[in-house]
Amino acid sequence: MTAEIIPFKIERQADGELRISDAELAMRLGYTDLRVFRRLIKKHKENLEQLGDVFSKRTVPSGGGKTTTAYLLAEHQALFMVSRSDMPVATQIMIGVSRAFVEMRRAHSQQPITKDLLRLNILSPEVRVWEKRFEKPFFDNLHRVMHLKKPGRNNHPNCGHFINRYVYEFLFGNLGLEVIREANPNALRTNSVGENEYRRAYRHHQMLKGEHIPAFKQHIRTLNTLLGVSTSIGHFDDIFNATFPKHHTQIGFMFNELQKRTPAQEAGR
């Protein structure tokens, strides 16, 4: 069984979110009894709620009988449950689900991409109030996968390189990352202990329009899921490239800026 030949049924719900049903996931994972998978979802419901609202509905079996609770899972919730299923095909299903969600979100705009257009579409007229976007588990996983030792309270500089490539470059493309960097340049500043150092005035995500934040947060959650099952950066690259293969990858997918190579493939040149 391969992810390429598995058609996943994903539907947009009333809240605008793309979701996949527990029955669809259970069938693809190979559960013979849907109730077993639903019990697993119920067991991890508190964890799923940390990833977003858990949507459920009461259903009546086709043959009649007692009503049951069916769950509709967003992408990051679906990936979490696949990783917890311990089924033999879990890795392939994780890849297939990710790719199916990417396809559903693909932009269809044919408008030429320019720096001026990207500035208008990416950057907020005012710097956004500081909000935490990368949670501690993300950096814990990232340091572990990259085999880096966390230097005190700060993160290793290589974490920033990873985030630029796999978050900002992936979402907004090479040109988009350049636009963000130009709007948030490095400058000589004095740190908390009186030392001069070059650093940016803001976090990159503070420069983004609010409309991009939901997709930004969702992508971080997807990366954290992939990092969580990776044992090394090479392993992560393999999973990332399988999840976002060349002909499916949306480098700069916000604006349909499709590239020839994935960030991970570029890093391996």
Side-chain angles (χ1 to χ4, degrees), residues 53-156:
D53 294 332
V54 177
F55 277 57
S56 62
K57 60 182 180 181
R58 301 294 290 177
T59 63
V60 179
S62 57
K66 187 177 179 181
T67 59
T68 59
T69 299
Y71 295 94
L72 297 170
L73 304 177
E75 179 184 5
H76 40 283
Q77 295 169 332
L79 292 174
F80 178 86
M81 289 310 307
V82 172
S83 70
R84 293 298 182 273
S85 69
D86 292 327
M87 298 297 277
V89 295
T91 298
Q92 289 298 326
I93 298 302
M94 182 180 293
I95 292 170
V97 167
S98 294
R99 288 172 56 176
F101 272 95
V102 166
E103 284 297 305
M104 290 291 290
R105 291 195 303 266
R106 293 186 70 175
H108 298 289
S109 173
Q110 299 301 313
Q111 189 173 10
I113 301 297
T114 66
K115 288 181 74 171
D116 287 339
L117 177 63
L118 288 173
R119 287 190 190 97
L120 289 172
N121 282 278
I122 294 176
L123 302 179
S124 173
E126 297 181 355
V127 176
R128 295 174 56 80
V129 176
W130 188 89
E131 296 172 304
K132 191 173 184 180
R133 292 299 175 197
F134 293 88
E135 300 295 337
K136 185 177 181 296
F138 177 90
F139 287 108
D140 289 343
N141 279 329
L142 186 52
H143 282 86
R144 175 184 57 79
V145 169
M146 297 182 74
H147 303 300
L148 299 173
K149 183 177 181 181
K150 196 171 186 296
R153 296 179 59 185
N154 298 319
N155 296 308
H156 194 282

Side-chain angles (χ1 to χ4, degrees), residues 215-234:
F216 178 84
K217 292 170 65 176
Q218 180 169 298
H219 186 61
I220 293 171
R221 288 166 177 158
T222 300
L223 286 184
N224 192 40
T225 300
L226 299 182
L227 286 168
V229 298
S230 300
T231 57
S232 67
I233 191 63

Side-chain angles (χ1 to χ4, degrees), residues 169 246 249 251 259-269:
E169 186 177 320
K246 183 170 66 174
T249 300
I251 306 298
Q259 301 290 329
K260 294 181 179 179
R261 294 172 62 84
T262 66
Q265 289 169 330
E266 286 290 339
R269 285 189 302 183

Side-chain angles (χ1 to χ4, degrees), residues 190-256:
T190 303
N191 62 24
S192 59
V193 295
E195 298 172 337
N196 290 331
E197 61 180 19
Y198 281 91
R199 61 185 178 85
R200 301 184 190 278
Y202 307 104
R203 307 288 185 183
H204 280 343
H205 69 256
Q206 291 178 260
M207 315 302 294
L208 303 179
K209 282 186 172 182
E211 66 195 63
H212 299 312
I213 298 302
F216 178 84
K217 292 170 65 176
Q218 180 169 298
H219 186 61
I220 293 171
R221 288 166 177 158
T222 300
L223 286 184
N224 192 40
T225 300
L226 299 182
L227 286 168
V229 298
S230 300
T231 57
S232 67
I233 191 63
H235 186 204
F236 171 83
D237 283 347
D238 290 341
I239 298 175
F240 183 89
N241 284 320
T243 304
F244 303 108
K246 183 170 66 174
H247 61 284
H248 286 282
T249 300
Q250 295 181 12
I251 306 298
F253 79 88
M254 298 285 197
F255 310 103
N256 202 31

